[in-house]
Amino acid sequence: MSHPTIKDVANKSGVGIATVSRVLNNSSQISPQTYEKVMKVIKELNYVPNATGKKLSQNRTHVIAVIVPVINHPYFAKLIEEIELAADARGYSILVASSQHRIEREREILKRIAQNEADGAIFVTHYEHKEEEFKGLAIVSIDRHLGKDIPIVTTDNYDATKKAVEYLINTGCKKIAFLGTKPSQASEVSLRAKAYLDTLKEHNLEPFVINKIVSHGNENEVIDEFLNKRHDFDGVYVSGCILANTLRNRLEELDDIEIPNDLQIISYDGDFCLNNYSPTTTLEQPIKDMANKCVELLIQLIDEEKIENMINSFNCRFVKGKTTK
């Protein structure tokens, strides 16, 4: 017969695993009512905390790090906001760290986590790290493949892109370009370019791909290459909202292309990135749901719970805007 786990106690008590952990550690953050309720279940189940886990829990900070390339990117800013809300609801604070496009800074942040400045991290990187850099750390990745034991939270990059490109085709587009910025690290984001190529091949259309590794803020490099090479496209699939914003800004300067009559545009990421521009047709990522899943998985890792699904994918929502017919 298996021994009851901390998850069993949490489920029967109607509280989160982190709450049970705080009860076991006599945390002052727990109300007397909650303490009594959880302790009653502990006695009923005859739950005995794992000695190793108990030792680790006594060194907990109840802080999780959020590591992103930059903070002033609209996607990352929204992600951080939602992660903070999800963490706070579970009794955790967050420590936000920006790598500023430097892998050395990311490594330094990981070392600080190992020194118990945080219990774990939600990590977004554009760089390739060695798997041993994460040894002994509780890490959840967004989109990136960091190692076989590190869970990923992502979206349906392939299926959503395929549907978007097919939408362009069904509305009459014959020459569709793909514009993207890609990380050097293996990533679920790469499935966007694959879906585009597969879909055009199915429809016997010629592909045109510009998919470069560029830092945030340098999106004009991609747009310059696109505008300098060809001007006869009637559709563009853009792999990110900032890139789409940059493209629309540049096209307005040309003043000889009417959107969507001359050129239709669909962008991955929600329209929250596009500020004062008219609504763009987008594939909107459910950032709130993703943030909640990241925090949930990370706390499971911190509490040494088994992760059932290493890749956790959410569906994007197709939002019709003014950039498509």
Side-chain angles (χ1 to χ4, degrees):
M1 182 176 177
S2 60
H3 295 288
T5 67
I6 191 172
K7 188 174 182 180
D8 296 327
V9 176
N11 289 339
K12 189 167 183 179
S13 302
V15 299
I17 291 174
T19 299
V20 177
S21 178
R22 288 193 289 274
V23 168
L24 293 170
N25 291 300
N26 295 312
S27 172
S28 60
Q29 297 178 342
I30 299 298
S31 69
Q33 294 84 356
T34 300
Y35 180 87
E36 290 177 8
K37 178 173 66 174
V38 173
M39 287 304 299
K40 181 180 178 181
V41 172
I42 288 173
K43 292 175 182 177
E44 289 176 359
L45 295 180
N46 197 24
Y47 170 69
V48 179
N50 176 274
T52 303
K54 177 72 173 175
K55 183 178 179 181
L56 289 172
S57 70
Q58 291 172 342
N59 295 321
R60 299 257 179 96
T61 63
H62 290 287
V63 173
I64 60 177
V66 184
I67 309 172
V68 296
V70 291
I71 297 173
N72 62 350
H73 188 292
Y75 173 82
F76 296 134
K78 182 63 176 175
L79 179 67
I80 291 167
E81 177 186 355
E82 294 295 347
I83 289 174
E84 183 170 29
L85 291 171
D88 183 68
R90 294 166 171 84
Y92 279 76
S93 301
I94 69 168
L95 172 66
V96 179
S98 168
S99 68
Q100 298 295 333
H101 302 296
R102 301 200 310 271
I103 191 171
E104 295 81 9
R105 178 164 169 76
E106 290 182 349
R107 288 172 175 150
E108 179 59 34
I109 296 167
L110 292 173
K111 289 179 182 177
R112 289 171 59 186
I113 296 170
Q115 293 167 356
N116 204 36
E117 291 190 26
D119 296 331
I122 297 168
F123 195 15
V124 184
T125 181
H126 290 328
Y127 299 107
E128 186 171 357
H129 287 265
K130 295 179 180 178
E131 197 166 344
E132 53 262 33
E133 293 180 53
F134 306 107
K135 187 175 181 180
L137 302 181
I139 300 288
V140 172
S141 171
I142 296 180
D143 289 326
R144 281 50 168 173
H145 293 261
L146 302 180
K148 61 181 177 61
D149 296 322
I150 297 177
I152 299 170
V153 175
T154 187
T155 50
D156 57 337
N157 292 274
Y158 186 93
D159 290 341
T161 296
K162 185 173 178 59
K163 291 175 183 176
V165 176
E166 286 176 342
Y167 182 92
L168 292 173
I169 294 171
N170 291 335
T171 53
C173 293
K174 300 296 183 183
K175 295 183 178 180
I176 304 169
F178 177 98
L179 303 183
T181 58
K182 60 181 181 180
S184 57
Q185 173 74 31
S187 173
E188 293 289 299
V189 172
S190 301
L191 293 174
R192 300 175 194 175
K194 185 180 187 315
Y196 162 85
L197 292 170
D198 289 349
T199 307
L200 261 64
K201 184 177 181 180
E202 290 173 10
H203 290 269
N204 297 314
L205 297 177
E206 180 184 355
F208 180 85
V209 176
I210 301 176
N211 198 19
K212 305 180 68 173
I213 298 175
V214 298
S215 299
H216 294 296
N218 295 328
E219 287 81 8
N220 269 313
E221 293 180 23
V222 176
I223 306 304
D224 286 340
E225 185 173 343
F226 170 66
L227 295 177
N228 289 336
K229 286 192 173 180
R230 292 177 66 176
H231 300 278
D232 58 347
F233 292 100
D234 52 15
V236 181
Y237 176 83
V238 189
S239 186
C241 62
I242 292 295
L243 192 60
N245 193 1
T246 306
L247 172 63
R248 291 186 59 191
N249 193 25
R250 294 289 299 278
L251 290 175
E252 285 183 359
E253 293 174 359
L254 296 177
D255 201 33
D256 61 351
I257 297 177
E258 184 180 347
I259 300 172
N261 292 333
D262 300 325
L263 182 69
Q264 297 189 67
I265 302 171
I266 296 180
S267 169
Y268 214 92
D269 289 337
D271 203 47
F272 64 86
C273 290
L274 299 175
N275 299 324
N276 297 322
Y277 293 90
S278 61
T280 300
T281 298
T282 64
L283 300 171
E284 186 179 84
Q285 299 191 66
I287 297 179
K288 181 177 181 178
D289 293 338
M290 295 171 68
N292 269 296
K293 191 64 177 180
C294 284
V295 174
E296 176 190 319
L297 288 170
L298 187 57
I299 292 175
Q300 282 184 257
L301 290 175
I302 292 168
D303 287 326
E304 300 182 321
E305 294 288 322
K306 182 180 179 181
I307 303 295
E308 297 294 336
N309 298 314
M310 298 309 291
I311 298 182
N312 302 266
S313 182
F314 291 85
N315 293 330
C316 290
R317 184 169 70 100
F318 184 88
V319 182
K320 175 73 168 63
K322 296 182 179 179
T323 59
T324 53
K325 297 177 182 177

